[in-house]
Amino acid sequence: MSDKLILVLNCGSSSLKGALIDNHSGEVILSCLAEKLTTPDAYITFKYFEHPNVKPADRASWFNGRADGDKHEVSLSGNHDHTGAVQALLDELTTHNLQNLVKAIGHRVVHGGEKYSGSVVITDDVIATLEECIPLAPLHNPANLTGIRAAQSIFPELTNVGVFDTAFHQTMPEHAYTYAVPRELYRKYGFRRYGFHGTSFRYVAPAAAQILGKNVEDCALVIAHLGNGASVCAVKNGESKDTSMGVTPLEGLVMGTRSGDIDPSTCSFLAENAGMDVKAVTDLLNKKSGLLGISELSNDCRTIQEAADEGHAGAKLALEVMTYRLAKYIASMAVATDGIDALVFTGGIGENSNVVRSKTVGYLGFLGLTIDEKANDATRFGAAGIISEAGKTPAVLVVPTNEERMIAMDTGRLAGL
Ligand code: ADP
């Protein structure tokens, strides 16, 4: 194992996800998840991974005798905020004598506005800019800032790096990011399309090009990142040319609980007919819609598929609406890339659901896309590869994403490791 480890932190308003990553190999050594932060029930769970470079003789001390993937939970009732969680993480590292090997910290930051088209070392100026971006991401950016401040106070000597979900999409042309509303809104409030999942697309694009035997600079790719949140991205010459999410992650595809695209009159319709205010409508479209709203059952794609198989009408409809809309979006992204060399699936659903992939590609035969059902069934659960018919172009690929690794790579580079 290398003597340089990177801590990757992803903070939500009441949660903190962390991963300790070997800067050399990219392997995860330890991951953690703190939940219910800011409440007295807060706790943090640590999970250890077998690390190929830890010699068997060292394992007992590294993993304290725990087997691969073993978990253990620590209460944060004494100090239940984000700083308490980062302190518990430091205590855990100290128990295993790992604390001095951590050389830098990478933070997932949701919104970098127009200021950041790449990752940056966090300085006071960067923090001030992230504060300015709060109106664009009122839930996410304050939580990310809390994580940064917690890391700075617990690890004062380490370099912190910010890696933005929006940065990769800063190459979108003006005609792709401009909303057809009065231009003044852009000038005054930065109201435009930004896009998200950029760290995932940036990781997946070169990996897909490699499978195709090409340079990413010579590829036209449409990448579908399908998790609880979902978006598609048109990547040409290694750059984002368009994406389905907008000023917030609500725009675009049908997601777990988000509606995606919807008639902009929805707000006035629901105000007049259901007596809802803006907050209630925003909540409905973000948290009660999508697969959950249509199926009246679940936001989880696996549950939806199982119920659809058993004949649940809502689940069947949710799956149909989701895949039809996804196919329409993929086709529209081919406009941005001016034709495509490959469609790439990633994210929890994209990597695992042969059903969603098959249904979606089924709509796209007119673009020349095909699916080899045997390859489609076989390429799941972490496998990467081509799932279209042999020799047919455009190809259809599955490429598992790894946003944490991408954050660690940027952090290592910017911290000069
Ligand atoms: P997040 O956006 O929270 O990171 P993930 O990328 O982990 O989410 O994706 C979660 C989604 O992936 C869930 O809807 C889950 O049901 C789905 N998923 C995971 N495994 C499968 C599977 N085998 N078949 C269908 N869907 C799956």
Side-chain angles (χ1 to χ4, degrees), residues 73-89:
E73 195 178 298
V74 176
S75 165
L76 296 174
S77 56
N79 191 357
H80 53 251
D81 60 6
H82 289 76
T83 309
V86 179
Q87 180 62 51
L89 179 53

Side-chain angles (χ1 to χ4, degrees), residues 139 250 256-260 266-267 270 276-290 292-293:
L139 297 178
L250 182 55
T257 61
R258 295 190 193 119
S259 63
T266 303
C267 213
L270 292 178
M276 295 171 77
D277 61 12
V278 172
K279 192 173 171 302
V281 175
T282 307
D283 198 57
L284 176 123
L285 297 179
N286 274 290
K287 298 189 184 150
K288 298 175 187 160
S289 300
L292 174 66

Side-chain angles (χ1 to χ4, degrees), residues 55 102 128 249 271 342 391-392:
K55 295 188 198 86
V102 181
K392 292 273 174 67

Side-chain angles (χ1 to χ4, degrees), residues 226-229 299-302 305 347-349 352-353 381:
L226 311 175
N228 281 315
N299 65 308
D300 188 276
C301 187
R302 220 173 337 187
Q305 281 179 209
I349 299 170
N352 298 306
S353 175
F381 315 128

Side-chain angles (χ1 to χ4, degrees), residues 330-389:
I330 290 166
S332 74
M333 287 292 140
V335 174
T337 48
D338 192 20
I340 60 173
D341 295 316
L343 164 64
V344 188
F345 286 101
T346 193
I349 299 170
E351 292 165 28
N352 298 306
S353 175
N354 50 341
V355 175
V356 167
R357 297 187 308 221
S358 178
K359 279 181 176 296
T360 306
V361 174
Y363 284 111
L364 296 167
F366 75 98
L367 283 175
L369 295 170
T370 57
I371 200 136
D372 173 337
E373 287 302 352
K374 222 170 140 194
N376 185 31
D377 285 357
T379 315
R380 295 196 283 162
F381 315 128
I386 297 178
I387 59 167
S388 44
E389 289 173 11

Side-chain angles (χ1 to χ4, degrees), residues 75-300:
S75 165
L76 296 174
S77 56
N79 191 357
H80 53 251
D81 60 6
H82 289 76
T83 309
V86 179
Q87 180 62 51
L89 179 53
L90 173 59
D91 294 345
E92 186 72 19
L93 296 176
T94 308
T95 307
H96 299 287
N97 215 13
L98 289 170
Q99 76 282 10
N100 293 328
L101 300 184
V102 181
K103 302 295 184 209
I105 305 178
H107 298 264
R108 177 193 177 207
V109 182
V110 169
H111 220 303
E114 287 191 322
K115 179 81 189 248
Y116 300 113
S117 55
S119 304
V120 289
V121 172
I122 294 173
T123 61
D124 290 347
D125 281 353
V126 172
I127 289 183
T129 307
L130 295 183
E131 278 168 349
E132 283 166 25
C133 289
I134 286 176
L136 293 169
L139 297 178
H140 291 105
N141 271 30
N144 299 154
L145 279 161
T146 306
I148 290 169
R149 292 198 175 101
Q152 286 177 327
S153 76
I154 304 290
F155 294 92
E157 71 291 356
L158 295 186
T159 302
N160 287 271
V161 169
V163 180
F164 306 94
D165 281 16
T166 48
F168 182 62
H169 301 297
Q170 281 298 302
T171 47
M172 276 198 287
E174 206 173 20
H175 63 257
Y177 72 66
T178 301
Y179 284 121
V181 295
R183 195 86 176 115
E184 190 188 11
L185 297 179
Y186 170 61
R187 286 192 298 271
K188 271 194 173 164
Y189 308 109
F191 186 72
R192 49 157 282 185
R193 307 183 62 251
Y194 288 93
F196 299 86
H197 291 138
T199 309
S200 174
F201 294 128
R202 195 154 57 90
Y203 180 85
V204 166
Q210 198 176 18
I211 293 174
L212 295 172
K214 293 184 170 197
N215 286 324
V216 71
E217 289 79 16
D218 303 324
C219 286
L221 305 170
V222 176
I223 306 176
H225 176 111
L226 311 175
N228 281 315
S231 66
V232 287
C233 181
V235 179
K236 190 159 192 188
N237 310 328
E239 293 182 342
S240 171
K241 300 294 182 195
D242 202 352
T243 191
S244 57
M245 284 178 168
V247 64
T248 75
L250 182 55
E251 189 177 337
L253 304 176
V254 175
M255 310 181 212
T257 61
R258 295 190 193 119
S259 63
D261 289 351
I262 196 147
D263 188 322
S265 303
T266 303
C267 213
S268 59
F269 180 91
L270 292 178
E272 283 159 23
N273 292 287
M276 295 171 77
D277 61 12
V278 172
K279 192 173 171 302
V281 175
T282 307
D283 198 57
L284 176 123
L285 297 179
N286 274 290
K287 298 189 184 150
K288 298 175 187 160
S289 300
L291 295 178
L292 174 66
I294 302 170
S295 68
E296 299 182 306
L297 177 72
S298 172
N299 65 308
D300 188 276

